[in-house]
Amino acid sequence: MGRIPCCEKESVKKGQWTPEEDHKLSSYISQHGTRNWRLIPKNAGLQRCGKSCRLRWTNYLRPDLKHGQFSDAEEQIIVRLHSVLGNRWSVIAAQLPGRTDNDVKNHWNTKLRKKLSGMGIDPVTHKPYSHLMAEIANTLAPPQVANLAEATLGCLKDEMLHLLTKKHIDIQFQSPAPAPPMANNNNNNNMCSKHEENDDDDTIEKIKIGLSRAIIQEPETMNKPWDSNGASSRGFHYVFGHEGEGGSPWSQSMCTAGEQQGKLGVDENGDECSGEKDARNNNMFSGGEECELWDLPSNDLINPLV
DNA sequence: AAGATTCCCAACCGCATTCCA
DNA sequence: TTGGAATGCGGTTGGGAATCT
């Protein structure tokens, strides 16, 4: 019953591949193809598991792979697709010729996630942290808000610390005077310059103050760029005022899909709603028109999201 | 200059689904 | 039809390289 094991675990080599192993695998596959991974290591004279050979081939040896740095265009595609699809790396990678899911995943984890955090954007929801705070607070009665601040502080402390210490978000107002709309808060460049030697406790105090301000703020004063009924029905022209990043295509458009996430990301039960399910089950880019979902022309997309 | 820390990415692990004897 | 292997995928880790102190 069933198949025979793919390899004998005891005699299998692990760890880094040598150039000799790469050569054996490449030359075997170029002659015989990749039909049966269980037989490939044996026939190619490799002391490797078939699974390991498959991974080595698909992530490194395949001749059609790109090995260089990701371009700005590739990064934007990743971020936009991630904002809708989440960590579906294989689907995202399918839109980037020569990139593997492992490449995309690594690049996201090492670069893009930090980049978004540094811009004040939550890399999970692709919304600004300040808006997330206010959005959650708006759904709660006043007695719950204080608890929210504490809970949020715990959940987002690391990201907030990074944001506050690296990217100069101004949360220093301590007066109860009404704050300017946060979506238009451009005066971020002078915050940390005087306080570069703050310790963590000091920073946490600032976070608390900032959270309180975000929570107290009147919902009507908030610009909600992801709100489809708002003035900006498409795009997410949220200005963060980061040093050195204001003019890049990144800061202008990275959140474009955020509003769409609001439309199709999560339903009232916290479950993924139809939009994402559609993305998984249908070709969302059919029709040849510009793709509203990510502001990506449909013909820019390489593979349908099946 | 050297040790410590952080970053990066190739490779592994484990789970879910598909395939097949 | 069934149970176990193959495959696909996302999460995690190990170790070398780069950077910091």
Side-chain angles (χ1 to χ4, degrees):
Chain A
M1 192 58 92
R3 297 180 177 180
I4 57 177
C6 76
C7 56
E8 294 155 27
K9 308 277 185 198
E10 313 80 45
S11 61
V12 158
K13 186 183 169 192
K14 289 184 178 182
Q16 293 288 108
W17 281 65
T18 64
E20 290 83 353
E21 288 177 311
D22 283 346
H23 179 70
K24 281 182 181 177
L25 183 60
S26 294
S27 54
Y28 180 85
I29 288 175
S30 67
Q31 288 176 20
H32 301 95
T34 59
R35 267 198 298 269
N36 190 334
W37 286 111
R38 182 172 58 83
L39 294 176
I40 284 173
K42 188 179 173 186
N43 293 345
L46 292 163
Q47 299 283 93
R48 294 275 182 175
C49 176
K51 190 173 179 176
S52 176
C53 293
R54 180 171 58 82
L55 225 54
R56 184 64 179 171
W57 174 256
T58 55
N59 286 341
Y60 190 80
L61 295 174
R62 252 169 52 203
D64 58 325
L65 291 181
K66 277 190 206 168
H67 290 289
Q69 290 198 325
F70 280 74
S71 66
D72 280 351
E74 286 177 314
E75 290 189 340
Q76 290 194 46
I77 289 172
I78 292 169
V79 172
R80 287 175 180 175
L81 291 178
H82 185 272
S83 72
V84 178
L85 297 169
N87 296 355
R88 300 190 67 216
W89 306 119
S90 60
V91 180
I92 296 171
Q95 306 304 324
L96 300 168
R99 302 296 188 184
T100 69
D101 54 351
N102 214 31
D103 283 337
V104 174
K105 179 173 58 180
N106 282 335
H107 193 64
W108 173 265
N109 286 329
T110 59
K111 300 273 181 62
L112 298 182
R113 204 169 57 176
K114 293 172 190 169
K115 205 167 184 175
L116 286 180
S117 280
M119 294 168 69
I121 302 166
D122 175 28
V124 177
T125 63
H126 293 254
K127 292 180 180 179
Y129 289 126
S130 57
H131 285 272
L132 283 176
M133 308 285 178
E135 203 173 42
I136 296 167
N138 288 342
T139 69
L140 299 177
Q144 297 173 287
V145 170
N147 295 335
L148 168 75
E150 288 300 321
T152 310
L153 186 63
C155 293
L156 298 178
K157 194 179 97 179
D158 289 346
E159 301 291 0
M160 292 292 287
L161 281 172
H162 179 83
L163 170 66
L164 292 167
T165 56
K166 305 288 188 192
K167 290 299 173 183
H168 304 187
I169 302 301
D170 185 0
I171 59 160
Q172 286 199 114
F173 296 103
Q174 299 198 31
S175 91
M182 297 187 73
N184 294 320
N185 184 1
N186 276 328
N187 304 320
N188 299 328
N189 292 337
N190 59 354
M191 173 209 175
C192 288
S193 55
K194 299 175 191 170
H195 302 277
E196 286 173 353
E197 295 177 15
N198 288 345
D199 59 16
D200 278 0
D201 289 343
D202 197 20
T203 307
I204 289 169
E205 274 309 305
K206 289 180 182 176
I207 294 171
K208 286 181 176 176
I209 295 165
L211 281 171
S212 301
R213 287 185 58 244
I215 288 164
I216 289 165
Q217 196 160 9
E218 288 284 328
E220 288 74 17
T221 69
M222 299 289 295
N223 183 12
K224 295 179 180 175
W226 56 83
D227 184 345
S228 58
N229 297 321
S232 171
S233 65
R234 291 193 59 206
F236 193 164
H237 306 296
Y238 188 87
V239 180
F240 294 94
H242 307 298
E243 287 178 342
E245 292 180 349
S248 75
W250 262 88
S251 59
Q252 295 301 317
S253 60
M254 278 300 100
C255 286
T256 301
E259 63 156 307
Q260 298 293 348
Q261 175 120 2
K263 289 178 187 173
L264 53 74
V266 177
D267 67 18
E268 65 275 10
N269 299 319
D271 297 320
E272 292 171 353
C273 57
S274 58
E276 179 160 350
K277 285 169 185 166
D278 287 346
R280 293 181 179 183
N281 297 324
N282 302 310
N283 179 3
M284 302 173 71
F285 308 104
S286 57
E289 298 173 353
E290 187 180 29
C291 175
E292 290 223 342
L293 199 53
W294 293 294
D295 286 355
L296 290 172
S298 61
N299 53 9
D300 279 0
L301 292 152
I302 309 304
N303 295 316
L305 303 179
V306 180

